[in-house]
């Protein structure tokens, strides 16, 4: 935060607009980290877990918090399900038709279903985020102008057909819905009186996984193009600039992109290994599935962890923009609360 003299100018002689109200109670304005983390600054990145209730002060903040947390814990469940599914000790115990009566059903099928339920909530909130780009900045401007006129509204429903973030969130949500359908189909097929015909199982499970994986890949592409570069390449291989290398958002989007690639690989693998295309050995299947769904789940989990840490850093190390007391808002993929630019690119 720039130092200011009594005339209201910073060290560079530029005017700074101040808000009349005092800083929030949990920040004393004397340092760049709130007091409780000064003795151990790394803990500030876990503030989303330690003081989670402070992230519920505005709709924009709790929507962002829940979106990240859904991916974070859903990723854990997918990691468990993916690697349990390729474990011989667990896979060999699976029995079709015992109504969720074995370890495989609970560690794989149930984990997938529960994880997808968390992801569906998270991706639905991502759609809401994409409808409100720059919301906190608009509120800050409204406060700085003396609260003249109506307060900017937070939009809950709508379309943004020209916004890549909106398309990315919708693609994630549709993909997760297909994953839920596949998990439910697997549970139905596990009941003795409701065994699915091979063609029906192929559609409900294998095709759903294939289409959902492609949708996840397209979502990762959309977000990288929207947040980092329309040319895509600067956001998917390695950091092209020092700014990218130091950006939590860049690495989170990088992980989300490659997580989508992994899920796409897993979906293609399931289709290729379907009852009508059974051409691979079990070890080959396990390796590709483990890299696809297991590796993809790890990427999504770590990406969500970075976004949660980014939210915490924004709360615990506030910087002041339009007003003197408004903390940097939390930020999540597609939200653009902190770094709006005219074309929506290169905001890391």
């Amino acid at each position: 935060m720039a130092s200011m003299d009594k005339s209201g100018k910073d060290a560079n002689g530029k005017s700074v607009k101040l808000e009349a109200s005092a800083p929030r109670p949990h920040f004393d304005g004397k340092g760049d980290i709130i007091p409780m983390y000064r003795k151990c600054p790394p803990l500030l990145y876990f503030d989303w877990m330690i003081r989670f209730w402070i992230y519920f002060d505005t709709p924009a903040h709790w929507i962002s918090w829940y979106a990240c947390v859904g991916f974070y814990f859903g990723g854990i469940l997918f990691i468990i399900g993916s690697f349990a599914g390729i474990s011989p000790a667990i896979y060999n115990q699976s029995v079709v038709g015992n109504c969720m009566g074995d370890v495989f059903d609970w560690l794989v099928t149930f984990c997938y279903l529960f994880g997808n339920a968390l992801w569906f909530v998270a991706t639905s909130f991502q759609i809401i985020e994409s409808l409100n780009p720059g919301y906190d900045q608009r509120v800050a401007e409204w406060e700085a102008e003396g609260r003249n006129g109506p307060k900017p509204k937070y939009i809950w429903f709508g379309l943004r057909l020209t916004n890549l973030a909106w398309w990315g969130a919708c693609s994630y949500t549709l993909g997760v819905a297909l994953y839920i359908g596949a998990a439910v189909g697997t549970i139905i097929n596990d009941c003795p009186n409701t065994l699915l015909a091979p063609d029906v199982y192929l559609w409900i499970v294998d095709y759903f996984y294939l289409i959902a994986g492609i949708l996840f890949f397209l979502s990762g592409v959309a977000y990288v193009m929207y947040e980092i570069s329309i040319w895509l390449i600067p956001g998917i291989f390695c950091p092209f600039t020092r700014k990218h290398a130091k950006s939590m958002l860049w690495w989170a989007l990088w992980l989300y992109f490659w997580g989508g690639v992994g899920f796409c690989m897993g979906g293609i693998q399931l289709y290729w290994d379907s009852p009508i295309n059974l051409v691979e050995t079990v070890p080959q299947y396990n390796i590709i599935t483990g890299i696809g769904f297991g590796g993809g789940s790890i990427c999504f989990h770590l990406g969500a962890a970075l976004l949660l840490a980014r939210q915490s850093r924004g709360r615990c190390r506030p910087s002041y923009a339009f007003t003197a007391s408004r903390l940097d808002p939390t930020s999540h993929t597609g939200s653009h609360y902190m770094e709006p630019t005219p074309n929506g690119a290169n905001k890391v």
Side-chain angles (χ1 to χ4, degrees):
M1 182 173 64
S3 60
M4 293 175 290
D5 57 23
K6 296 181 179 179
S7 63
K9 295 183 178 181
D10 62 13
N12 298 318
K14 296 181 179 180
S15 297
V16 178
K17 184 178 290 185
L18 298 178
E19 190 182 34
S21 58
R24 293 178 185 267
H26 56 269
F27 178 65
D28 63 7
K30 296 179 180 178
D32 63 350
I33 300 177
I34 64 173
M36 67 180 296
Y37 296 122
R38 284 180 185 154
K39 292 184 178 180
C40 188
L43 284 178
L44 67 85
Y45 293 101
F46 299 93
D47 184 71
W48 67 271
M49 185 184 300
I50 299 171
R51 304 184 307 150
F52 60 88
W53 58 88
I54 74 164
Y55 295 81
F56 304 154
D57 57 341
T58 69
H61 295 171
W62 67 259
I63 285 288
S64 183
W65 188 89
Y66 274 118
C68 290
V69 167
F71 264 107
Y72 182 85
F73 288 106
I76 292 176
L77 291 169
F78 258 98
I79 291 171
I80 295 172
S82 297
F83 289 104
I86 62 175
S87 170
I90 295 175
Y91 181 84
N92 292 334
Q93 295 182 24
S94 64
V95 178
V96 177
N98 64 354
C99 288
M100 299 291 290
D102 55 61
V103 176
F104 181 90
D105 293 333
W106 286 102
L107 286 182
V108 180
T109 306
F110 178 76
C111 280
Y112 276 167
L113 181 60
F114 190 23
N116 278 315
L118 292 176
W119 278 18
F120 186 79
V121 174
T123 57
S124 298
F125 284 165
Q126 282 183 303
I127 295 177
I128 298 174
E129 283 188 307
S130 69
L131 296 173
N132 297 275
Y135 174 79
D136 276 290
Q137 181 176 342
R138 294 198 306 273
V139 173
E141 292 173 340
W142 173 75
E143 292 176 346
E145 293 171 357
R147 302 175 181 256
N148 293 324
K151 182 179 180 179
K153 292 183 179 180
Y154 194 77
I155 302 173
W156 295 92
F157 302 99
L159 301 176
R160 292 183 64 90
L161 301 180
T162 60
N163 188 318
L164 279 173
W166 183 84
W167 283 106
C170 289
S171 182
Y172 270 140
T173 304
L174 179 57
V176 173
L178 291 175
Y179 280 133
I180 291 175
V184 172
T186 302
I187 293 174
I188 292 174
N189 190 64
D190 197 44
C191 297
N193 298 324
T194 56
L195 290 177
L196 302 176
D199 290 341
V200 176
Y201 185 89
L202 179 66
W203 267 105
I204 293 180
V205 178
D206 294 335
Y207 281 169
F208 277 17
Y209 269 96
L210 174 63
I211 297 171
I214 294 173
L215 290 172
F216 268 45
F217 169 74
L218 293 177
S219 295
V221 169
Y223 273 120
V224 170
M225 292 176 65
Y226 187 66
E227 295 277 7
I228 299 175
S229 172
I230 197 67
W231 300 108
L232 185 64
I233 300 300
I236 63 175
F237 288 119
C238 61
F240 276 46
T241 66
R242 183 178 299 179
K243 179 182 178 183
H244 289 170
K246 296 170 62 177
S247 168
M248 285 187 175
L249 179 59
W250 190 94
W251 286 108
L253 292 175
W254 184 86
L255 287 165
Y256 271 40
F257 172 82
W258 288 107
V261 171
F263 273 55
C264 188
M265 287 176 52
I268 293 172
Q269 174 63 26
L270 278 179
Y271 168 75
W272 194 250
D273 196 48
S274 63
I276 63 173
N277 292 318
L278 193 58
V279 295
E280 292 186 322
T281 64
V282 172
Q284 291 173 323
Y285 169 83
N286 286 347
I287 291 173
I288 298 178
T289 302
I291 294 175
F293 290 118
S297 300
I298 292 173
C299 285
F300 279 115
H301 173 69
L302 294 177
L306 286 177
L307 291 172
L308 285 165
R310 187 168 183 258
Q311 291 189 21
S312 294
R313 185 179 64 180
R315 282 285 184 168
C316 299
R317 302 184 66 176
S319 61
Y320 293 81
F322 288 92
T323 63
S325 68
R326 189 172 184 81
L327 295 177
D328 275 347
T330 56
S331 184
H332 181 58
T333 302
S335 62
H336 298 168
Y337 297 145
M338 292 176 64
E339 301 151 310
T341 60
N343 60 3
N346 300 314
K347 298 183 297 302
V348 295

